[in-house]
Amino acid sequence: MRFLHTADWQLGMTRHFLSDEDQALFDEARLEAITRIGQLADERSCAFVVVAGDVFETNQPTPRTIGRALERLRDVPVPVLLLPGNHEPYNPGSVYRSRAFLDGCPDHVEVLHDRTPRHPAADVEVIGAPWTSKQPLTDLVTETCAGAPADGARRVIVGHGNADVLSGDHGAAGTVHVAALEEHLAAGRARYVALGDRHSTASVGSTGRIWFSGAPEPTSYREDDAGNVLVVELPDDGDHRPDVEAVRIGTWRFVELVRELDGDADLEALLADLDALEDRARTIVKVKVQGTLSLTQAARLDTELERRADLFGALEHPERHTDIVVRPTDGDLDGLELTGYAATAMARLREDSRADGDLARAATDALALLVRLDAEVRA
Amino acid sequence: MRIHRIALTDVRGFGPRVEVELDPAGVTVIEAPNETGKSTLFDAVDVALRYKDSSKHRDVKSLWPVDRDAPCTIEVELSCGGTHLVLTRTYRRSPATVLRLLAPTPATHSGDEAHDRLREVLDAEVDQTLYEALRFTQGRDLDAVALGASGSLTAALDRAAGGEAGQEDGALFDRVERTYLHWFTSSGRARDPLSGPAQRLAQATEQLEELRARAAALSADAEALAEVEQELPTLDRQRDEQLRPQLEQVRERRREVDAAKASTDAASARVATAAAELERARERRERREQLRRQRDELAEQVAADEAASAPARERLQQLQAALERGEAQLSDAQGERDTAERARERAQLALDLHDADRRLEVLADRVARVEELRAAVGPKEDELAAIAIDDAAIAQLADAQREVHVAEAQQRVGAPTVRLAPTRDLEVDLDGEPTPLAAGAAHTVTVASSFVLEDPAVGRLEVVPGDRADALREAVVDAKDRLARACRALGVDGLADAERRRDRHRELLGAVTQDRRDLERLLEGSDADALAGELRRARGRRDGLAERLEDDARGTSPAPDHEALLRARDEAGAAARDAATALDAARTQRAQLAGAVQEQHTAVQVARSTLAGMQERLADLETQLAEERAALDDAALDAAVDTAEQAHRALQATAASARAALEELDPDLVAFEVDRLSTALEAVEERRAALGERAAQLRGSLAVRGQEGIGELLQAAEDEYDRARAADERAQARAAAARCLYEAMAAAREEAYQAYRAPLRDAVGALARKLYGREVELDLDDELAISQRTLDGVTLPFEQLSAGAREQLAILAALAAAELAGEDGVPFVLDDALGYTDLRRLERLGALLGQVEDAQVVVLTCLAERFRHVGNARIVALQDLRRAAADQPTLGAVD
């Protein structure tokens, strides 16, 4: 018996660093992921699909977001079980109780809004551990598993929440306590626990039965292995571990380039690394640099990043004055060949730039501006 | 820039090539008559340096020769910075440009390339502002030369002020200023590029806060609904599993209590009926007993009252007897009082008669005296009436007498006087009166009227008075007549007689007045008739009194005198008053007795009436008692009471049993429990209803607001906020940089201008002192133009100086600038200038020009003589050159 495990679609998510056009592409990619999941389920003969929480980014998405998601779900050829997660708990204000969702929800899509066992296919039982509030007081997953009979049945628990073994936080709301959960698994209460919340694919514990599928499309720089779904094979024999295969379906990626810049060579290397990135239209890059740059180098960095900005899904600049230190150098200013009062003004600004605080910042920026304007005048 | 050479071919009036060489450092004077092309030289240089060979600009066309269709060629050799070049431009026909670079690196360019290279060199090296400022042409505006915009000059001044030479800074400053003004207005307010992001951030913040509030409200509603939905089943369980079953149980117990209570109530009702019956029997027996007691008591009271009424009747009889005696005493007292009263009246009558006699005597005496006085006064009044002389008449008479004396005196004085002293006695006729005149005596005769002196021996002497004497005499006669008439009127003989008669009048008047006063006193305000009437009435009264006394006091003799009469009357009055007092006492006593009789009588009557009433009531009681006993005798009544008491006790025992059974059921607790559970159930139902309503509201609200997609809108708002904040921070940083740079440059520029002013002012001042030959001070404004001149202590603004002075100062300023700019400077061209300057100053100016070393000065003049004081100037006679060129064999029009 095979099914598909996914989670954290985060439909409706927006990113402030994306332009409107790129945001639209970003949205479309995550809707497209639903379609690919449906195709994969069909290709791999999965009996059903479980989505382990955070289907929506918020409990109040727009009707447009709901409608488009349901439209994609309609095309998935197998039953789909959706679990309310921490982003959209099944409370009275839940998206799953909204008119837009209820009216448009296809018959083969079911919300696991309580712990009632479901049977999406023969010889398998699925029990959801839905979030019903933003702050659950207990370990919902372990609690749900504990509530199942220790009968060795082919039972899948679908839950949501970070695992204590990964986060190290045992007290956070909704944290899954893996050791306790494994005891229940060992007692034959379930054969597989499909988890969501962590956007990177991971197996936790020692049993090979507890998995985070990760998000099908990445959502932030912190994720190290996002963009996968899991095809899970549950053998007839309960003693055998499930066969879990991570299948990559993600198309976007987040890249964080962290570099030390201390001169032209470092600068050139950074630009080369940027230029070497592939599929840049669906790559979101954050350049984090540290070090000291001259005015000319800083201006060049700004200019070069600006020039490449449109090539990427998004290109986040380093914050001037926080990530890098800009120091006017002789080389920056000698080339200006200023005389008279302009030379006097420049000398004073340079003196100010060596101080600390806002004055130095403004003086440095003023010198950078002077370099640029002088170049424009000369041109 | 230095111009070394200019060559023109077919430019305006120039025909064949004319070449003029200029001194690159020093003065070149180009002399030529008017209208022979001096100005064309530099106009051609301007065009060649500026316009491409293909240009049809009007400046270019203005150079075309008008009389022939020939190529117009201009060749200029110049040096600037380190570049030395020769430019050849041909316009109009076969246009061409050739730029030959001689230094630093020899090269040749042609066409547009040559033009571009030329502009490159000129833009980099030539201070266009200064170039234009140092072109002095005839009729140029005499405004002060503003050199502030000249880069090369400021560079030179910068050097002079201790700075460094460098490139042109004006363009950079303009760019910096434009950048500043991109962000800020000139007054420092933020412009759109700066305020726009701030507004966007404010809007984004507002939007974000609003959405957060809406999301929070939605979230709160969801949580509230969750709580409601959680509470509702709890309430249902409480209602269905606890409250309702418990309530049913206690209601069953209450029904038992109700039944027990009904039994108790019925028993109690029966006890009450028996008790009422018993009460009625007892009351009947009590009434019978009471009736009997009343009858006995009343009978006793009737007997007692009858015994008690006898003394009262006896006392009444005693009082009636005393009353009869009192009435007899009263009658006696009245008789005595009447007797005394009559005695008193008689004594009074006697006294009155006595008094009337006395009064009659007095009145009669008064009447007699009145008559006497009236008889005496009558003759006196008659005499008095006969004498009508009073003091006024006397005075009138005295006046008449005095007038006679006055008239006579006037006659004596006013009439002529004749004094005679006869020697013998004579008798003269004086006014007809013979008058003797004794001898030896002197006689004076007043001639009031004629008089005659006759002496037989002497004759007759008649003296006749004049008119005056007549008048005086007549006055005497008139006065005497008036006196005589007055005496006749008064009936007297003269004044003495009149005075006698007046004295008699006075005497009579005094006597009459006294008599009248006496009479009035006697009459006492009345008159004689009234007094007589009063006398008659007194007499009548006296007679009346005497008659009454006579009638009343028959047998009694009148009292001897008034005092005795008074005493007798007072004694009789006292006796009468005593009798009256005794009478009042008798009356009082009789009245008291009559009151006591009446009172006692009334008491006796009341006692009789009361007794009669009691006897009647006693009869009624007897009758009532007899009737009651006839209906039920006393023994039967006692038996009925006993029977009722027994029945009542039996029913009380039954009721007590029922009450005990009821208490056993604890009805209060049952009632309390029913109330408690009912209230609790109602509260649960109310809470359910309220929660249901609240849930419906919340669901409705969530359904509506859930469709708004607030969560996603909030995300978008947060993103927009982040973007807006970043944009705002970027704008702030850029604007801050622009401001910082602008302020730094503006401050430095201002300081530089302050520093520039001094060297330029010193240079111009030094030239001015040479020109004017005395102490002169010049001030420069911000644009480095001369703003005012102080000469011999008199300061004038530049605009108020004479045209000559303005022209000279402008040229001095330009000359100083040209010298200060040095190698970076441009040619200083004087084209037929100095038209306003007098010869003396012109000479000095020429001498100043001759001292120029670092600058290139070109003087274009029609009179070289004007500039003969320029020491080592190169003199170029343009006409000679043109003539020489014209003499050259023509090479042809072909290039």
Side-chain angles (χ1 to χ4, degrees):
Chain A
M1 206 289 299
R2 194 177 297 135
F3 69 96
L4 196 148
H5 169 198
T6 177
D8 302 300
W9 293 356
Q10 314 290 148
L11 298 172
M13 170 188 269
T14 59
R15 306 274 82 172
H16 70 88
F17 40 73
L18 291 176
S19 66
D20 290 347
E21 295 82 356
D22 290 318
Q23 179 68 53
L25 293 174
F26 188 68
D27 293 344
E28 181 61 24
R30 276 162 317 117
L31 287 172
E32 188 59 29
I34 301 175
T35 300
R36 286 198 300 279
I37 286 168
Q39 291 166 350
L40 185 65
D42 189 35
E43 287 164 14
R44 299 295 185 92
S45 303
C46 294
F48 58 94
V49 175
V50 295
V51 189
D54 288 358
V55 180
F56 294 97
E57 170 70 5
T58 159
N59 228 351
Q60 287 85 36
T62 59
R64 180 176 183 273
T65 300
I66 298 170
R68 293 198 170 193
L70 293 175
E71 196 60 31
R72 297 292 182 136
L73 281 168
R74 196 180 305 281
D75 294 337
V76 176
V78 294
V80 181
L81 302 174
L82 305 178
L83 180 82
N86 64 315
H87 277 244
E88 83 289 44
Y90 194 78
N91 61 19
S94 170
V95 57
Y96 301 113
R97 293 168 76 166
S98 72
R99 186 50 48 204
F101 184 88
L102 294 173
D103 288 350
C105 186
D107 292 341
H108 67 281
V109 176
E110 190 174 7
V111 178
L112 302 175
H113 59 75
D114 59 17
R115 297 179 187 175
T116 305
R118 268 79 172 179
H119 300 90
D123 198 26
V124 65
E125 182 175 291
V126 177
I127 302 178
W131 284 49
T132 55
S133 76
K134 287 273 187 185
Q135 295 289 324
L137 302 174
T138 56
D139 174 354
L140 300 173
V141 179
T142 307
E143 203 174 77
T144 302
C145 192
D151 53 7
R154 192 182 300 191
R155 186 174 292 118
V156 175
I157 304 294
V158 184
H160 190 87
N162 207 349
D164 56 356
V165 294
L166 295 177
S167 68
D169 184 351
H170 298 264
T175 296
V176 179
H177 297 89
V178 173
L181 182 60
E182 283 185 332
E183 284 179 18
H184 293 303
L185 293 177
R189 297 183 194 279
R191 292 194 191 172
Y192 183 82
V193 179
L195 292 178
D197 189 46
R198 184 179 162 80
H199 289 199
S200 297
T201 305
S203 169
V204 293
S206 57
T207 60
R209 297 178 187 273
I210 306 172
W211 281 80
F212 286 97
S213 64
E217 282 285 1
T219 60
S220 83
Y221 301 107
R222 293 191 305 273
E223 299 156 4
D224 51 24
D225 187 16
N228 302 314
V229 295
L230 302 180
V231 176
V232 182
E233 174 88 42
L234 287 181
D236 292 341
D237 181 358
D239 293 338
H240 283 86
R241 285 187 170 199
D243 182 15
V244 180
E245 179 192 359
V247 179
R248 179 157 197 86
I249 64 166
T251 55
W252 283 63
R253 59 180 172 159
F254 282 71
V255 176
E256 202 169 50
L257 285 181
V258 183
R259 296 287 186 276
E260 280 284 333
L261 294 188
D262 282 311
D264 290 339
D266 293 338
L267 183 55
E268 293 305 330
L270 169 66
L271 296 176
D273 288 346
L274 270 177
D275 292 341
L277 289 171
E278 294 176 348
D279 197 9
R280 286 185 280 186
R282 285 184 289 192
T283 302
I284 295 170
V285 182
K286 180 189 274 183
V287 177
K288 291 182 78 172
V289 291
Q290 292 180 325
T292 304
L293 293 181
S294 68
L295 289 178
T296 313
Q297 288 163 340
R300 173 131 197 272
L301 178 62
D302 284 346
T303 307
E304 293 296 334
L305 292 180
E306 197 64 44
R307 195 161 64 77
R308 288 165 173 80
D310 289 340
L311 303 178
F312 288 89
L315 177 55
E316 291 194 87
H317 289 210
E319 286 296 320
R320 178 73 71 88
H321 305 297
T322 53
D323 297 330
I324 57 173
V325 177
V326 179
R327 290 276 184 224
T329 63
D330 293 344
D332 288 329
L333 304 175
D334 288 350
L336 298 183
E337 296 180 357
L338 297 180
T339 61
Y341 60 79
T344 306
M346 184 184 74
R348 286 177 185 166
L349 289 172
R350 192 162 180 195
E351 187 62 31
D352 289 344
S353 73
R354 294 192 183 100
D356 290 324
D358 292 344
L359 175 66
R361 186 173 305 171
T364 304
D365 287 348
L367 284 171
L369 178 62
L370 179 62
V371 170
R372 182 165 70 76
L373 296 181
D374 182 67
E376 286 175 13
V377 168
R378 286 167 184 274
Chain B
M1 180 175 74
R2 297 287 185 271
I3 298 174
H4 300 268
R5 184 168 55 85
I6 305 168
L8 305 180
T9 307
D10 290 324
V11 176
R12 282 188 191 150
F14 287 88
R17 175 187 172 97
V18 173
E19 183 175 303
V20 178
E21 287 194 6
L22 307 176
D23 192 343
V27 182
T28 304
V29 177
I30 299 175
E31 181 208 0
N34 287 331
E35 306 299 326
T36 53
K38 296 190 296 296
S39 301
T40 302
L41 285 173
F42 282 89
D43 289 346
V45 170
D46 289 346
V47 166
L49 295 182
R50 187 169 179 184
Y51 298 106
K52 287 186 173 181
D53 51 28
S54 57
S55 174
K56 298 291 188 290
H57 193 275
R58 65 174 180 275
D59 290 349
V60 178
K61 286 181 174 178
S62 75
L63 295 179
W64 293 355
V66 293
D67 54 348
R68 55 196 179 282
D69 185 17
C72 174
T73 302
I74 305 162
E75 186 176 298
V76 185
E77 179 182 346
L78 57 84
S79 59
C80 53
T83 305
H84 194 159
L85 58 85
V86 178
L87 171 69
T88 306
R89 292 262 203 208
T90 300
Y91 295 98
R92 195 182 188 187
R93 290 284 164 217
S94 306
T97 300
V98 176
L99 178 69
R100 201 145 50 83
L101 292 171
L102 306 177
T105 307
T108 300
H109 303 280
S110 59
D112 286 348
E113 184 192 346
H115 179 83
D116 293 344
R117 182 75 184 103
L118 174 71
R119 288 315 312 170
E120 191 179 325
V121 171
L122 294 180
D123 287 346
E125 303 293 346
V126 177
D127 183 345
Q128 189 64 27
T129 306
L130 190 63
Y131 181 70
E132 289 167 8
L134 299 193
R135 280 288 291 284
F136 277 75
T137 55
Q138 199 170 22
R140 167 183 156 145
D141 189 358
L142 292 179
D143 283 348
V145 178
L147 301 164
S150 165
S152 53
L153 180 61
T154 49
L157 292 172
D158 192 18
R159 270 199 308 278
E164 289 179 35
Q167 67 160 71
E168 189 174 349
D169 293 327
L172 179 58
F173 182 78
D174 289 346
R175 187 72 185 88
V176 168
E177 190 175 36
R178 276 210 311 280
T179 305
Y180 171 76
L181 292 175
H182 172 74
W183 298 103
F184 300 98
T185 65
S186 52
S187 60
R189 287 197 308 277
R191 285 185 189 278
D192 289 350
L194 180 56
S195 60
Q199 285 169 2
R200 178 184 168 192
L201 178 59
Q203 286 168 358
T205 306
E206 192 181 343
Q207 175 78 5
L208 180 59
E209 285 171 357
E210 191 220 324
L211 281 166
R212 276 180 178 161
R214 285 169 59 189
L218 188 65
S219 177
D221 280 358
E223 285 174 20
L225 184 54
E227 287 173 10
V228 168
E229 288 179 343
Q230 202 169 3
E231 188 178 352
L232 271 172
T234 309
L235 287 175
D236 287 347
R237 279 196 302 279
Q238 189 183 0
R239 180 191 62 186
D240 298 339
E241 295 169 13
Q242 295 174 11
L243 294 175
R244 279 182 175 163
Q246 286 174 1
L247 185 61
E248 190 48 42
Q249 279 179 5
V250 294
R251 279 181 176 156
E252 179 57 34
R253 285 180 62 198
R254 189 172 67 178
R255 280 193 284 277
E256 292 171 14
V257 166
D258 289 346
K261 199 177 275 177
S263 299
T264 307
D265 290 346
S268 296
R270 284 194 293 276
V271 167
T273 306
E277 191 68 27
L278 174 60
E279 187 64 21
R280 277 195 298 277
R282 281 174 176 166
E283 279 178 0
R284 190 172 183 182
R285 191 170 64 179
E286 180 63 25
R287 267 201 317 276
R288 174 87 47 96
E289 183 62 23
Q290 197 174 5
L291 193 59
R292 192 180 51 75
R293 254 193 331 267
Q294 282 177 352
R295 184 210 53 193
D296 293 348
E297 283 170 6
L298 192 57
E300 272 178 34
Q301 196 174 353
V302 165
D305 280 7
E306 278 174 344
S309 62
R313 284 197 299 274
E314 193 176 335
R315 171 70 180 153
L316 179 58
Q317 287 168 0
Q318 287 170 355
L319 284 171
Q320 283 169 338
L323 180 59
E324 285 172 10
R325 284 192 302 278
E327 282 176 345
Q329 285 171 356
L330 179 59
S331 180
D332 292 347
Q334 275 177 336
E336 286 170 13
R337 199 272 319 266
D338 291 349
T339 305
E341 187 62 23
R342 276 196 300 276
R344 187 191 63 77
E345 285 175 357
R346 201 164 48 245
Q348 182 66 42
L349 202 55
L351 182 59
D352 289 348
L353 181 59
H354 185 268
D355 289 346
D357 285 343
R358 293 289 80 74
R359 179 158 174 74
L360 195 58
E361 284 172 17
V362 170
L363 275 174
D365 182 54
R366 277 175 65 196
V367 168
R369 283 183 64 197
V370 166
E371 288 303 322
E372 187 182 340
L373 273 173
R374 288 178 69 181
V377 82
K380 290 177 190 171
E381 283 177 340
D382 292 345
E383 186 182 356
L384 189 60
I387 302 171
I389 294 175
D390 55 8
D391 287 346
I394 292 294
Q396 195 179 2
L397 206 55
D399 287 345
Q401 181 73 56
R402 194 163 49 248
E403 284 174 9
V404 170
H405 290 159
V406 169
E408 286 173 348
Q410 285 173 342
Q411 188 181 36
R412 276 192 306 276
V413 174
T417 306
V418 177
R419 290 187 182 94
L420 294 175
T423 55
R424 58 177 176 92
D425 292 340
L426 290 176
E427 189 177 78
V428 298
D429 180 10
L430 196 60
D431 286 338
E433 294 285 329
T435 305
L437 297 175
H443 299 276
T444 302
V445 177
T446 302
V447 185
S449 59
S450 64
F451 87 92
V452 177
L453 179 59
E454 280 182 9
D455 188 359
V458 175
R460 179 184 170 93
L461 174 67
E462 187 176 3
V463 179
V464 181
D467 292 345
R468 166 76 174 157
D470 287 346
L472 290 172
R473 185 174 48 78
E474 284 173 11
V476 171
V477 172
D478 287 346
K480 285 179 176 172
D481 283 349
R482 283 195 296 275
L483 179 59
R485 278 196 303 274
C487 286
R488 276 194 303 276
L490 293 172
V492 297
D493 295 338
L495 179 59
D497 185 28
E499 284 174 341
R500 264 192 322 276
R501 295 189 65 160
R502 184 197 63 187
D503 292 342
R504 177 57 185 166
H505 181 271
R506 281 179 180 168
E507 185 186 341
L508 283 172
L509 186 61
V512 168
T513 302
Q514 185 61 46
D515 289 347
R516 282 179 180 158
R517 281 177 186 163
D518 291 344
L519 193 60
E520 281 174 5
R521 195 170 59 247
L522 284 172
L523 286 172
E524 294 177 347
S526 182
D527 58 17
D529 293 341
L531 193 61
E534 190 176 350
L535 179 61
R536 279 194 303 276
R537 285 193 295 279
R539 189 169 286 135
R541 172 174 159 77
R542 187 266 164 201
D543 292 346
L545 285 171
E547 190 177 346
R548 279 176 60 194
L549 186 62
E550 200 64 30
D551 289 346
D552 198 50
R554 271 186 296 266
T556 63
S557 55
D561 57 25
H562 184 258
E563 289 300 320
L565 285 171
L566 272 177
R567 273 195 308 278
R569 187 199 63 181
D570 292 342
E571 286 167 2
R577 281 194 296 279
D578 291 344
T581 303
L583 177 59
D584 288 345
R587 278 177 179 154
T588 303
Q589 189 180 13
R590 190 253 167 205
Q592 285 171 346
L593 283 169
V597 168
Q598 181 63 34
E599 191 178 337
Q600 189 65 26
H601 181 74
T602 303
V604 169
Q605 288 300 324
V606 167
R608 278 182 185 152
S609 172
T610 304
L611 186 60
M614 285 196 295
Q615 285 167 340
E616 193 178 340
R617 170 79 180 137
L618 182 60
D620 287 348
L621 288 173
E622 291 287 5
T623 306
Q624 194 178 350
L625 188 59
E627 285 172 355
E628 291 260 340
R629 281 177 173 154
L632 187 68
D633 64 23
D634 291 349
L637 185 57
D638 289 341
V641 169
D642 289 344
T643 305
E645 280 175 347
Q646 285 170 8
H648 182 242
R649 276 195 297 275
L651 286 170
Q652 275 184 322
T654 308
S657 301
R659 275 199 301 276
L662 179 59
E663 289 303 313
E664 192 70 20
L665 290 172
D666 199 352
D668 290 344
L669 181 62
V670 170
F672 172 76
E673 280 295 299
V674 168
D675 281 351
R676 182 181 69 79
L677 291 168
S678 299
T679 307
L681 191 58
E682 277 174 24
V684 167
E685 293 289 5
E686 281 176 16
R687 177 73 180 152
R688 273 198 90 260
L691 287 178
E693 195 175 333
R694 173 83 176 128
Q697 284 175 352
L698 290 169
R699 284 193 193 101
S701 170
L702 287 171
V704 172
R705 289 197 272 174
Q707 292 177 356
E708 294 171 356
I710 289 174
E712 219 169 294
L713 295 177
L714 179 59
Q715 261 195 90
E718 283 169 346
D719 291 346
E720 167 57 12
Y721 172 78
D722 288 342
R723 285 191 287 267
R725 194 181 57 181
D728 183 54
E729 285 173 357
R730 281 197 299 276
Q732 298 271 9
R734 287 181 181 174
R739 184 202 287 269
C740 181
L741 179 58
Y742 171 72
E743 288 176 350
M745 279 195 82
R749 183 171 182 255
E750 177 56 25
E751 290 167 16
Y753 271 27
Q754 294 293 342
Y756 291 163
R757 228 170 263 140
L760 184 61
R761 190 185 59 217
D762 292 348
V764 182
L767 291 173
R769 279 190 289 281
K770 288 177 183 171
L771 178 65
Y772 295 108
R774 44 194 167 150
E775 201 54 38
V776 61
E777 291 290 338
L778 300 172
D779 283 331
L780 304 186
D781 63 15
D782 288 346
E783 297 301 319
L784 302 183
I786 295 171
S787 58
Q788 61 182 24
R789 183 194 72 178
T790 303
L791 184 61
D792 295 336
V794 178
T795 300
L796 285 174
F798 184 82
E799 301 77 31
Q800 293 182 17
L801 295 172
S802 70
R806 278 186 283 155
E807 182 184 58
Q808 292 147 23
L809 287 175
I811 287 171
L812 290 184
L815 188 56
E819 283 212 288
L820 279 171
E823 291 181 357
D824 295 334
V826 295
F828 174 28
V829 181
L830 284 167
D831 184 356
D832 260 350
L834 296 169
Y836 297 101
T837 303
D838 59 52
L839 277 176
R840 189 169 59 85
R841 294 252 161 78
L842 196 60
E843 285 176 7
R844 291 195 183 186
L845 207 52
L848 288 177
L849 288 174
Q851 292 173 5
V852 166
E853 291 177 354
D854 293 335
Q856 181 182 31
V857 179
V858 181
V859 177
L860 304 173
T861 179
C862 57
L863 290 170
E865 191 60 20
R866 289 168 69 91
F867 293 92
R868 64 186 162 79
H869 296 283
V870 179
N872 51 354
R874 172 185 294 193
I875 307 293
V876 177
L878 189 59
Q879 277 296 83
D880 294 347
L881 292 175
R882 292 185 66 172
R883 214 174 287 122
D887 292 344
Q888 291 288 322
T890 303
L891 297 177
V894 183
D895 290 347

